[in-house]
Amino acid sequence: YEILLKSKYKKEYYFPEGLKPMVIFDIGGNIGITAIYLASLFPDAMIYTFEPLKENFEILELNASQFKNIKIFNVGLGAENGSFKVYLSEDHKNFGGASFYSKVEGSLSKSFSECEVKNVNDVVDHLDINSIDLIKIDTEGAEYDILTSINSKFLKKTSWITGELHGNRDFELLDHLTNIGFSISLNKNIDNRLFMFNAGRKEFISKLSRKEIKIL
């Protein structure tokens, strides 16, 4: 409902009119709802969706099968290669509640799944892509590790980054993005650990309408 069915300006993810990505990374693909939205919104783009949790990936595979511009990978992205514990949510109906961090609210330290994680730069090299135009990220606390691991010269080619942050070095991450040329907008309640953010290249932000800036 939040991603697909709400009106354009009230959806969980808002993308400016002038954004025309050809390469999209959907990091934290979950069961594929955002990938489907991105594929419908940007039919000329190639969307690379990464989801480490096997249970989610099986549903993602079914949901994405009808879209030729979605490529799916049963791995997580991170700072290094390896196999890591992904802690599961107490809510068994919550497909998005897994985390690399056992102390995150809503996760169980004794309930976990082993998942493969690959260094994000190694993945970029393997895919042989020159730039990522749009990044959507929602990785239950691993956002800092992933985005700060991407080569800064490469990340500077990205026009737009959007996603949810989860209380793990969030403002260090936003400071990092600011230092390499992104403008940041966020919507955070003081008593809520989770919040949405957008980061746009300053050159791109300068072309936005007043209405879009107000929405963001």
Side-chain angles (χ1 to χ4, degrees):
Y1 174 73
E2 295 288 337
I3 296 170
L4 289 177
L5 300 180
K6 277 190 172 182
S7 65
K8 176 180 177 180
Y9 299 115
K10 293 183 179 180
K11 290 181 185 292
E12 185 163 330
Y13 299 110
Y14 172 75
F15 302 103
E17 295 287 347
L19 192 62
K20 305 294 182 185
M22 297 307 297
V23 176
I24 299 173
F25 266 31
D26 175 20
I27 309 175
N30 197 251
I31 62 172
I33 303 302
T34 303
I36 289 171
Y37 177 53
L38 291 167
S40 302
L41 196 62
F42 305 113
D44 295 327
M46 181 57 68
I47 300 152
Y48 300 90
T49 300
F50 304 90
E51 172 53 45
L53 199 61
K54 181 181 178 181
E55 293 83 353
N56 286 350
F57 184 81
E58 290 174 351
I59 303 173
L60 165 63
E61 193 169 25
L62 291 173
N63 286 336
S65 61
Q66 61 184 307
F67 294 89
K68 295 181 179 179
N69 60 331
I70 300 177
K71 293 186 177 181
I72 59 175
F73 303 86
N74 189 198
V75 298
L77 300 184
E80 58 186 37
N81 297 313
S83 178
F84 296 88
K85 292 179 180 179
V86 176
Y87 296 91
L88 305 177
S89 172
E90 292 177 343
D91 181 357
H92 299 295
K93 296 180 181 179
N94 181 5
F95 295 101
S99 174
F100 289 119
Y101 305 96
S102 62
K103 294 183 179 180
V104 169
E105 177 184 342
S107 295
L108 292 172
S109 60
K110 293 183 179 180
S111 179
F112 63 87
S113 179
E114 289 282 345
C115 296
E116 183 181 9
V117 175
K118 291 188 177 181
N119 175 274
V120 60
N121 295 303
D122 290 348
V123 170
V124 168
D125 289 342
H126 177 73
L127 293 174
D128 193 25
I129 57 177
N130 296 317
S131 64
I132 307 169
D133 304 309
L134 167 62
I135 296 174
K136 166 263 164 181
I137 187 166
D138 183 352
T139 53
E140 302 299 323
E143 295 83 14
Y144 175 89
D145 289 344
I146 296 168
L147 291 179
T148 59
S149 296
I150 299 176
N151 183 289
S152 292
K153 290 183 179 180
F154 188 86
L155 193 59
K156 287 179 180 179
K157 299 177 184 178
T158 301
S159 297
W160 199 258
I161 304 172
T162 188
E164 186 175 58
L165 298 179
H166 298 79
N168 182 49
R169 306 181 75 176
D170 297 339
F171 289 97
E172 290 181 59
L173 168 59
L174 297 179
D175 186 58
H176 171 75
L177 295 176
T178 299
N179 288 337
I180 60 174
F182 286 90
S183 293
I184 307 295
S185 71
L186 57 89
N187 182 9
K188 178 174 172 58
N189 294 326
I190 194 69
D191 59 345
N192 194 340
R193 176 175 58 88
L194 311 179
F195 65 96
M196 304 298 294
F197 82 102
N198 293 291
R201 294 293 304 166
K202 290 181 179 179
E203 309 91 90
F204 184 78
I205 293 289
S206 66
K207 300 176 183 178
L208 298 183
S209 66
R210 290 184 179 181
K211 180 180 180 180
E212 288 182 312
I213 291 173
K214 185 177 181 180
I215 292 168
L216 293 166

